[in-house]
Amino acid sequence: MSATILTLAETSDFLDREFPQMQAGGRAYHLEEVGPLSARMRLEAHERFLRPGATVSGPAMMALADYALYAAILANIGPVALAVTTSLSFNFLRKPASGDLVAECRLLKLGRRLAVGEVLITAAGSPDLVCHATGTYSIPPR
């Protein structure tokens, strides 16, 4: 696959339109890049995502990984609102420093009915992984 079906702007607009709840309380998720079988998304470390100890919570990282995976799939198959998560698995590797997190998503398989991907989450500016996630999405017939 050499190009995406949706551009960065089209993918971002679709996410904003179909899932406005993800930005409730102020924009925090920023889709920064989409590419063939890939996407990058940043999560601003708003106070609402922090847990005691001033670190980003596990549930916030889980949402970031799922959302980045969905963005990568959409960019590569087009605007399919009913593609749904069927499984997610997370390995929390280290406590992230206080600050933004960056999710790099890579699709490992993109079929007609199933997509499988992995997401690597790091603290912005650090190469050290804080979370590794894998996920599978079911894609409805088009």
Side-chain angles (χ1 to χ4, degrees), residues 1 3 21 42 59 65 72 83 86 98 104 106 122 131 133 142:
M1 185 173 275
Q21 67 273 21
R42 176 180 298 265
T86 60
S98 182
E104 294 280 351
R106 176 174 66 114
T122 59
C131 180
R142 293 172 277 189

Side-chain angles (χ1 to χ4, degrees), residues 55-91:
T55 187
V56 176
S57 71
M61 286 188 263
M62 295 166 84
L64 173 62
D66 192 28
Y67 205 35
L69 183 57
Y70 187 58
I73 293 166
L74 287 177
N76 283 275
I77 68 170
V80 180
L82 296 178
V84 295
T85 310
T86 60
S87 71
L88 288 170
S89 176
F90 296 89
N91 295 297

Side-chain angles (χ1 to χ4, degrees), residues 13-68:
D13 288 347
F14 179 84
L15 292 172
D16 287 348
R17 184 174 57 255
E18 297 296 323
F19 297 97
Q21 67 273 21
M22 293 301 291
Q23 304 295 359
R27 181 166 291 281
Y29 295 91
H30 303 274
L31 186 59
E32 296 182 335
E33 182 179 307
V34 295
L37 303 178
S38 67
R40 182 178 63 238
M41 185 176 282
R42 176 180 298 265
L43 173 64
E44 287 183 38
H46 288 230
E47 187 173 330
R48 68 182 186 264
F49 299 122
L50 300 182
R51 61 176 296 278
T55 187
V56 176
S57 71
M61 286 188 263
M62 295 166 84
L64 173 62
D66 192 28
Y67 205 35

Side-chain angles (χ1 to χ4, degrees), residues 115-127:
V116 178
E118 74 172 345
V119 183
L120 307 176
I121 299 177
T122 59
S126 172

